[in-house]
Amino acid sequence: QKWLNTLGYKKEEVLGRWFGDFLCPEYVETFRQCFSIFKEQGHIQSEFEMLTKDGQRLVIDFEGTIAYNSQGEFKQTHCILKDVTEQRKAEKALAHSHDLMRYIIEHNRGAVAVHDRDLKYLYVSQRYIEDYKIKEKDIIGKHHYDVFPDLPQKWREVHQKALMGEVSSAENDPYVRDDGSLDWTRWECRPWYESDGTIGGIIVYTEVITDRVKLLEDFKEKERNLRMAQEIAHVGSFDYDPASDKLECSDEGLNICGITRMEFSGKLDAIIQFIHPEDREYALRISLNAISEKKVNRSELRIIRKDGEERIVDFRVGPVFDGNGNCVRTTGTIMDITERKKSEDELLQLKNDLELKVKERTAELEEKVQKLARSQKAMLYMVEDLNRVTSELKEERRKLEISN
């Protein structure tokens, strides 16, 4: 009756029919061939897919024995059929789950290793093999400490903690290789659990981040150099996101305004308040023109520092556009040019004073030249008068001599 209920038939619907009539079509010929072997061996165990009356496919575990008559001839079969459809589905799902986990581990960007309670490898990613330069490619089933015989004691302690249920991790952990070279890693070690809740082993996630650490160190070094250069040149930089009203300003930019990083709110108003009230509208216009003209604009503005001192800054601002041509940020620099402006004013005053002195001296020299010219002209008149009188005297003398 169980067989009938499983396939959905009544007894009268199956009596007298061949067993192969209830098999899925692709199994009929296989069963026909197996039946002859079944008759010879007297016993068989196999698996077929059968069709229920309403057309559903069932996976059936088939176990049968042959009954013979007194002459040893085939009489009949005795078969036990068991519906294992759900079991096979579960097994298939489990196999898929294992394959999926293996696939995820294998293609994980980080290095992943799964160990049992004895720290033998169950799964390992290719990245793990490559990152730790493991020469033996197939390490499944091997003990972790056999693969890494010189593993530091700290790692052995981490493994024992994980087997006790504790999760350990580190973000920037130095790892010294056998050749003495230093790598930086990020890792996590945690337990995994069996279906009954007991700890089945540990999972170790690791990622070699040496390149990232070096890039970060280079970035920090360049940032330090930039900060020092800005401090020496008294040049600050800023970057403003209008969508979030977030303003980023360099340390020297804040120093020019006379405030510290702790005193800076990160909002635009926090900096605008230091622009001289008479220059604020002009500064805004310069910034808007830079966006509309799509270029960097430059101007000189007055600021009033937190301590009340008035300074002069060189203000430069330019827009940053996205792929659609929308302005998404404005960026620029401010440079304290107060001392330079003072020097320029002093030079201008010196130039004006010099020009005035030159003008006065020129006028003085011109007056003396004019006086000299007048003196020379008077002298000429005197010489002419003397020459005339001399001539007259000579003539009188000549006349006197003639009369004598």
Side-chain angles (χ1 to χ4, degrees):
Q1 186 60 45
K2 178 68 173 175
W3 188 89
L4 292 172
N5 292 340
T6 299
L7 294 182
Y9 287 99
K10 296 179 180 178
K11 184 182 292 186
E12 56 270 20
E13 292 177 308
V14 301
L15 289 178
R17 295 179 62 182
W18 179 50
F19 181 77
D21 293 340
F22 302 98
L23 295 174
C24 293
E26 64 269 26
Y27 286 90
V28 173
E29 187 57 35
T30 301
F31 177 77
R32 195 188 304 276
Q33 294 173 4
C34 290
F35 190 74
S36 58
I37 300 174
F38 176 28
K39 290 170 65 175
E40 292 177 7
Q41 296 179 347
H43 181 269
I44 192 173
Q45 184 166 7
S46 187
E47 197 170 279
F48 300 98
E49 288 193 18
M50 302 183 69
L51 288 172
T52 64
K53 185 177 180 180
D54 59 4
Q56 294 184 46
R57 298 174 72 100
L58 298 178
V59 181
I60 302 297
D61 181 77
F62 177 89
E63 184 177 1
T65 57
I66 299 293
Y68 302 93
N69 59 21
S70 57
Q71 286 78 31
E73 297 173 341
F74 171 77
K75 179 180 179 182
Q76 61 186 16
T77 62
H78 296 280
C79 301
I80 299 176
L81 305 179
K82 182 180 179 182
D83 182 4
V84 294
T85 304
E86 296 304 319
Q87 179 182 338
R88 293 296 178 264
K89 285 181 179 180
E91 290 172 352
K92 187 175 180 180
L94 181 61
H96 175 71
S97 177
H98 286 173
D99 291 341
L100 180 60
M101 183 173 70
R102 190 176 294 110
Y103 179 85
I104 293 173
I105 292 174
E106 182 66 25
H107 294 85
N108 195 293
R109 290 169 58 183
V112 182
V114 182
H115 306 270
D116 62 15
R117 285 195 60 85
D118 296 326
L119 297 182
K120 292 181 179 180
Y121 286 95
L122 297 178
Y123 300 98
V124 64
S125 68
Q126 184 62 32
R127 186 65 175 268
Y128 185 91
I129 299 291
E130 294 171 356
D131 281 356
Y132 293 100
K133 297 180 172 59
I134 300 174
K135 296 179 180 179
E136 188 177 356
K137 301 303 180 184
D138 186 11
I139 60 174
I140 302 302
K142 296 186 179 296
H143 197 284
H144 184 45
Y145 299 160
D146 291 336
V147 178
F148 294 96
D150 299 326
L151 196 68
Q153 181 61 30
K154 77 165 188 177
W155 273 105
R156 299 173 189 259
E157 294 173 359
V158 166
H159 297 156
Q160 291 306 311
K161 289 179 180 178
L163 289 172
M164 296 295 292
E166 184 176 336
V167 178
S168 303
S169 63
E171 285 299 316
N172 292 288
D173 198 38
Y175 172 69
V176 181
R177 295 187 179 275
D178 294 337
D179 60 4
S181 61
L182 176 66
D183 273 332
W184 292 91
T185 62
R186 179 172 62 186
W187 58 266
E188 180 180 276
C189 182
R190 61 170 53 245
W192 63 267
Y193 296 88
E194 299 283 5
S195 58
D196 60 1
T198 60
I199 294 176
I202 64 172
I203 304 176
V204 181
Y205 305 91
T206 59
E207 184 179 359
V208 177
I209 58 173
T210 306
D211 291 341
R212 192 180 307 168
V213 170
K214 288 181 178 178
L215 283 174
L216 183 59
E217 289 177 351
D218 290 343
F219 175 77
K220 288 181 177 179
E221 179 64 23
K222 290 177 180 178
E223 192 177 48
R224 283 193 294 270
N225 293 338
L226 177 61
R227 186 164 55 249
M228 184 176 296
Q230 288 189 351
E231 185 176 347
I232 293 172
H234 293 294
V235 177
S237 59
F238 64 87
D239 190 286
Y240 178 61
D241 178 5
S244 61
D245 190 29
K246 181 179 180 181
L247 177 66
E248 295 181 1
C249 194
S250 68
D251 289 343
E252 184 58 23
L254 298 177
N255 183 54
I256 290 173
C257 295
I259 60 174
T260 64
R261 178 69 57 186
M262 294 295 293
E263 296 172 304
F264 178 52
S265 67
K267 300 295 183 181
L268 183 61
D269 289 343
I271 294 297
I272 289 181
Q273 65 174 326
F274 295 108
I275 300 177
H276 194 287
E278 295 178 2
D279 291 352
R280 289 176 189 173
E281 184 178 347
Y282 177 60
L284 177 60
R285 187 165 65 251
I286 288 293
S287 301
L288 294 177
N289 287 345
I291 297 173
S292 62
E293 297 169 4
K294 297 184 178 181
K295 69 174 187 178
V296 175
N297 273 347
R298 175 187 176 277
S299 184
E300 293 179 359
L301 302 173
R302 292 170 295 171
I303 66 168
I304 301 177
R305 287 165 46 94
K306 182 183 177 182
D307 58 11
E309 181 185 3
E310 184 175 311
R311 308 288 289 182
I312 302 174
V313 297
D314 179 289
F315 173 69
R316 304 189 186 207
V317 61
V320 178
F321 298 93
D322 62 15
N324 297 321
N326 299 314
C327 179
V328 292
R329 294 195 339 267
T330 54
T331 184
T333 60
I334 55 172
M335 178 170 63
D336 188 341
I337 59 172
T338 307
E339 301 306 322
R340 191 185 79 188
K341 293 297 291 184
K342 285 182 179 179
S343 297
E344 290 176 354
D345 290 343
E346 290 174 358
L347 285 174
L348 180 60
Q349 184 62 43
L350 182 62
K351 177 186 175 184
N352 292 336
D353 291 346
L354 183 59
E355 288 179 348
L356 179 60
K357 288 182 179 180
V358 168
K359 186 176 181 180
E360 291 175 349
R361 185 59 177 165
T362 301
E364 182 181 344
L365 288 174
E366 287 179 350
E367 183 180 354
K368 289 183 178 181
V369 168
Q370 290 176 1
K371 287 182 178 180
L372 180 60
R374 288 195 297 270
S375 297
Q376 289 177 342
K377 190 173 183 180
M379 182 81 61
L380 287 175
Y381 288 150
M382 290 177 64
V383 170
E384 288 179 357
D385 288 343
L386 183 59
N387 288 337
R388 181 176 55 78
V389 171
T390 302
S391 297
E392 290 177 353
L393 289 173
K394 284 181 179 181
E395 182 62 27
E396 291 294 328
R397 184 179 181 180
R398 187 183 65 78
K399 288 180 180 181
L400 183 61
E401 287 177 349
I402 293 174
S403 63
N404 293 331

